Amino acid sequence: MTHSVLFVCLGNICRSPLAEGVFRDLVEDAGLVERFLIDSAGTGAWHTGNPPDPRSIEIAATYGIDISRQKARQVRAGDFERFGIILAMDGSNLNTLWARDEVGSADIRLLLDDPPRDVPDPYYGGTDGFEEVYRLLRFGCETLLRRLT
Ligand code: 4NP
């Protein structure tokens, strides 16, 4: 395993499951699956055990990516040892991660960091929001893979 990447949002049902799916798809297309550990989690626990939001499943499917079997989970202490790269979807979740006692040597930062910007929370909005989230995640994941390979 060369790289271990954890995508983190608030609920782990909208943005980070989609980020996980998009990044895994790019890694598979590049033939690099054996070199990556990829997962996602939420800073909140409300949706633990649930599949992604139907709107995230649908936008992923539109682009040929199946995220329907993912299950939401909360960030846990062991994540800070297991994952070398922890990518927050927005500044609020980044601050929540930084505030934890377990923060060790992991590289914890925003997915979109040059320039820094949030992937906006689409939960309470319409389906347009999920198209925008997909576009931002795709850009962020392509940039990430380029940097790591
Ligand atoms: P996510 O979106 O952080 O992208 O998974 C949200 C999902 C659920 C809630 C907030 C954001 N919620 O408040 O339940």
Side-chain angles (χ1 to χ4, degrees):
M1 198 80 62
T2 315
H3 299 290
S4 48
V5 180
L6 181 69
F7 296 96
V8 176
C9 62
L10 182 59
N12 192 212
I13 56 167
C14 295
R15 292 166 291 178
S16 61
L18 192 53
E20 177 187 339
V22 168
F23 191 63
R24 180 170 290 118
D25 187 60
L26 292 170
V27 166
E28 282 172 4
D29 281 353
L32 298 172
V33 170
E34 277 84 56
R35 289 172 52 188
F36 282 85
L37 171 66
I38 305 165
D39 199 4
S40 66
T43 55
W46 310 283
H47 301 282
T48 297
N50 292 349
D53 187 287
R55 297 166 294 178
S56 280
I57 292 176
E58 189 179 341
I59 192 87
T62 302
Y63 293 97
I65 299 170
D66 180 10
I67 63 167
S68 65
R69 281 160 301 185
Q70 291 186 34
K71 292 269 177 285
R73 71 170 180 88
Q74 190 172 28
V75 174
R76 46 181 172 252
D79 288 331
F80 295 93
E81 292 170 24
R82 188 149 184 251
F83 292 93
I85 304 169
I86 300 179
L87 297 169
M89 298 298 113
D90 61 33
S92 165
N93 287 294
L94 183 65
N95 287 337
T96 303
L97 291 169
W98 276 120
R100 291 193 54 142
D101 293 335
E102 302 91 349
V103 169
S105 59
D107 178 12
I108 305 173
R109 55 191 163 79
L110 287 176
L111 172 66
L112 302 177
D113 67 348
D114 185 25
R117 68 154 293 176
D118 291 349
V119 179
D121 182 346
Y123 187 62
Y124 293 105
T127 44
D128 284 7
F130 284 76
E131 188 67 53
E132 168 75 351
V133 163
Y134 179 86
R135 199 181 60 71
L136 291 169
L137 293 179
R138 176 115 207 148
F139 174 77
C141 287
E142 285 175 353
T143 304
L144 177 66
L145 186 60
R146 221 177 304 120
R147 278 189 202 164
L148 294 177
T149 54

